[in-house]
Structure formats: C-alpha cells, structure tokens
Amino acid sequence: MRVLLIDDEKELVVTLSERLELRGIESDWATSGEDGLALVRQNKYDWVVVDLKMPGLGGLDAIKAIKAVQPAANVILLTGHSAAEDLRCALDMGACQYLVKPVDIDVLLSLMQKGVGRE
C-alpha cells in the first residue's frame, strides 16, 4: 500500500508519514496541493489523504485534479472543520471518506485497510 499525505501543516504530514512507515506502509507527503499533485503525476498511490483548507490549490480542487490523473486512487478528505456542504462536495468529487482533525492513526489505518481491494 502506498499513501500520499497532503496538508499545509508540515508537522502533521511528517508525523503521520512516520507512523505509517513504522507500520510498513510506504508514504510520501506534500505541504501544498500543487506539490501533492506533482507527486500524483509521478507516482501511483493507493490512498491520497488531502486537507480541505490549504493555500493555493485547496483540497476540493486537489481532489478533482487527483481523480483526473489517477481515477482509481482512493481519496480521504482531512478537515479541521466539518461543514456539511464541503464534505458533500468532496464526496461528490470522488473522495470516499473524510476524517476530522486531529487524526487518529488507528482510524485512518482502519479506513484504508477496509478500502483496499474494494472496487
């Protein structure tokens, strides 16, 4: 399983990446939607975890661009706010789940493990 973490909070993505790597899950991270999209264009990911609110290319636009490049990638929206309209929009754009910060690594792993192999 390979995961891409995209969030403008560097400490968050670095910490999550380290925790995933400790569990044998390969991960990359980016601190902007633009950098994350560049990684999506270079690598294949099973999961992309993307923050909703980021400067520049925001989460909703990032999801749309990611799904255009890798339609099979599973996307989890990460948000500090749970505005129903944004969450519904993200799900309509192809996100399959959302998590509200702070991220519980066990919940994230559970969502990804349940989704692997699902088509």
Side-chain angles (χ1 to χ4, degrees), residues 25-43:
I25 298 171
E26 185 179 356
S27 65
D28 295 319
W29 54 267
T31 56
S32 72
E34 291 86 353
D35 290 346
L37 186 56
L39 287 170
V40 166
R41 289 184 174 124
Q42 297 170 1
N43 305 294

Side-chain angles (χ1 to χ4, degrees), residues 7-75:
D7 194 305
D8 59 331
E9 295 180 41
K10 184 176 180 179
E11 185 175 325
L12 174 67
V13 290
V14 169
T15 300
L16 285 176
S17 179
E18 289 172 353
R19 291 181 178 177
L20 292 172
E21 298 278 344
L22 286 172
R23 290 162 173 85
I25 298 171
E26 185 179 356
S27 65
D28 295 319
W29 54 267
T31 56
S32 72
E34 291 86 353
D35 290 346
L37 186 56
L39 287 170
V40 166
R41 289 184 174 124
Q42 297 170 1
N43 305 294
K44 183 177 183 309
Y45 293 100
D46 300 300
W47 289 94
V48 179
V49 180
V50 59
D51 186 27
L52 176 63
K53 301 286 185 193
M54 296 183 289
L57 186 65
L60 296 178
D61 290 333
I63 291 170
K64 185 176 179 180
I66 290 164
K67 294 301 276 185
V69 175
Q70 290 190 32
N74 297 295
V75 177

Side-chain angles (χ1 to χ4, degrees), residues 46-117:
D46 300 300
W47 289 94
V48 179
V49 180
V50 59
D51 186 27
L52 176 63
K53 301 286 185 193
M54 296 183 289
L57 186 65
L60 296 178
D61 290 333
I63 291 170
K64 185 176 179 180
I66 290 164
K67 294 301 276 185
V69 175
Q70 290 190 32
N74 297 295
V75 177
I76 296 174
L77 179 70
L78 188 59
T79 180
H81 316 280
S82 57
E85 180 66 25
D86 288 340
L87 299 177
R88 186 174 51 248
C89 189
L91 295 174
D92 288 346
M93 289 182 170
C96 57
Q97 293 286 342
Y98 70 91
L99 286 175
V100 178
K101 294 180 186 177
V103 177
D104 181 325
I105 190 72
D106 292 327
V107 172
L108 176 61
L109 288 169
S110 177
L111 286 176
M112 291 190 296
Q113 289 168 347
K114 288 177 185 173
V116 169

